[in-house]
């Protein structure tokens, strides 16, 4: 009898230990899934940088669009799982700077001094937007969020076959929108109306499965609608 009691106790202790280990693992995953998306965004950005340095600007554009979708998912997952943290915010900002700053600036294909200055100005605009433009109003940005500017430039590249003149013109306009202190709403694509979630799902399908022309037009229309009609179309209405 004592052996049986001891066996039952050990079994219960083992089950409790396994349950605790499983709970810790689930909690670790919950807290870090958003960080994983930020890391994926940063890897996409670094891969885009490498593609641009090797002259593979077409692949670089696709990676920027992937980063755009990852960034939208990152914030939504963090808020839904209540996993927002200072570390996660810093990681997200670094990933955004890598993908939507450095990688996007290289898409401009700087060759001479003026081109280089434009690329530097674009990177500094993203840096300024990420570090110094706090709106002080919940769910509202100051200045255009840099993922949308990056998506517009990547879509422009794919649609025009890499027309440098149009890319540079679009970059100048995006720099103005990013450093302008006008308000932009927090779109909360995956946490708002059903039609916004459908738009996001359409973006995933377009980027992963559609020809370049379809994906570029889709992302251009999406980004332009947010840039030009932020409150009329994309204001968050839970």
């Amino acid at each position: 009898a004592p052996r049986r009691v001891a066996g039952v106790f050990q079994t219960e202790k083992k089950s409790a230990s396994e349950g605790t280990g499983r709970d810790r693992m689930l909690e670790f995953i919950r807290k870090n899934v958003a960080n994983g998306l930020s890391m994926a965004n940063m890897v996409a950005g670094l891969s885009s940088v490498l593609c641009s340095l090797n002259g593979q600007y077409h692949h670089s554009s696709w990676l920027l669009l992937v980063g755009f979708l990852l960034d939208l998912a990152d914030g939504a997952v963090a808020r839904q799982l209540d996993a927002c943290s200072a570390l996660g915010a810093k990681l997200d900002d670094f990933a955004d700077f890598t993908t939507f700053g450095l990688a996007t600036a290289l898409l401009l294909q700087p060759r001479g001094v003026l081109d280089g200055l434009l690329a530097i100005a674009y990177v500094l605009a993203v840096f300024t937007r990420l570090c110094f433009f706090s709106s002080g109003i919940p769910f509202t940005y100051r200045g255009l969020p840099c993922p949308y500017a990056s998506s517009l430039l990547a879509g422009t590249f794919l649609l025009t076959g890499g027309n440098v003149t149009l890319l540079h013109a679009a970059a100048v306009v995006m720099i103005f929108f990013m450093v302008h202190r006008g308000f932009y709403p927090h779109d909360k694509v995956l946490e708002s109306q059903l039609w916004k979630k459908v738009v996001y799902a359409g973006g995933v399908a377009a980027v992963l499965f559609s020809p370049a022309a379809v994906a570029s037009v889709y992302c251009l229309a999406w980004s332009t609608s947010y840039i030009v009609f932020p409150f009329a179309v994309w204001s968050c209405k839970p």
Side-chain angles (χ1 to χ4, degrees):
R3 290 182 180 178
R4 186 180 302 170
V5 172
V8 171
F9 178 75
Q10 289 178 354
T11 301
E12 292 177 351
K13 185 177 180 180
K14 182 178 179 181
S15 298
S17 177
E18 291 176 350
T20 302
R22 191 183 309 111
D23 292 341
R24 289 177 179 174
M25 179 62 70
L26 291 174
E27 181 65 12
F28 176 83
I29 294 173
R30 184 188 72 81
K31 288 184 176 180
N32 289 280
V33 63
N35 292 341
L37 290 172
S38 292
M39 284 294 296
N41 181 14
M42 185 165 60
V43 169
L46 291 172
S47 300
S48 178
V49 168
L50 291 175
C51 287
S52 292
L53 292 176
N54 286 284
Q56 299 173 329
Y57 296 105
H58 184 84
H59 294 118
S60 179
S61 299
W62 281 109
L63 288 166
L64 291 176
L65 294 180
V66 170
F68 170 67
L69 296 172
L70 287 171
D71 184 70
L72 291 178
D74 171 26
V77 168
R79 288 185 293 271
Q80 287 296 309
L81 297 180
D82 191 23
C84 300
S85 65
L87 174 62
K90 291 178 181 178
L91 181 60
D92 183 56
D93 283 345
F94 187 74
D96 285 354
F97 180 74
T98 301
T99 303
F100 309 125
L102 296 176
T104 304
L106 287 176
L107 193 65
L108 301 176
Q109 307 173 51
R111 293 287 186 268
V113 175
L114 292 179
D115 293 351
L117 289 175
L118 177 60
I120 291 172
Y122 192 92
V123 172
L124 291 177
V126 172
F127 177 77
T128 302
R129 170 64 188 77
L130 289 172
C131 295
F132 301 111
F133 280 20
S134 175
S135 68
I137 302 174
F139 309 118
T140 305
Y141 302 112
R142 272 191 185 277
L144 173 67
C146 46
Y148 285 92
S150 178
S151 173
L152 185 139
L153 289 177
T156 299
F157 183 96
L158 292 173
L159 189 63
T160 64
N163 186 298
V164 176
T165 302
L166 286 178
L167 273 174
H168 288 184
V172 171
V173 174
M174 291 302 100
I175 289 172
F176 171 78
F177 275 105
M178 284 190 286
V179 300
H180 189 268
R181 299 182 72 84
F183 288 110
Y184 273 85
H186 195 307
D187 50 304
K188 299 184 77 173
V189 175
L190 294 176
E191 304 164 83
S192 190
Q193 299 104 309
L194 177 61
W195 72 266
K196 294 182 183 179
K197 299 175 185 178
V198 172
V199 168
Y200 182 87
V204 173
V207 170
L208 296 182
F209 307 112
S210 298
V214 175
S216 58
V217 169
Y218 191 96
C219 291
L220 270 173
W222 182 357
S223 300
T224 303
S225 68
Y226 179 81
I227 294 168
V228 180
F229 307 108
F231 284 96
V233 178
W234 288 98
S235 181
C236 179
K237 298 174 183 177

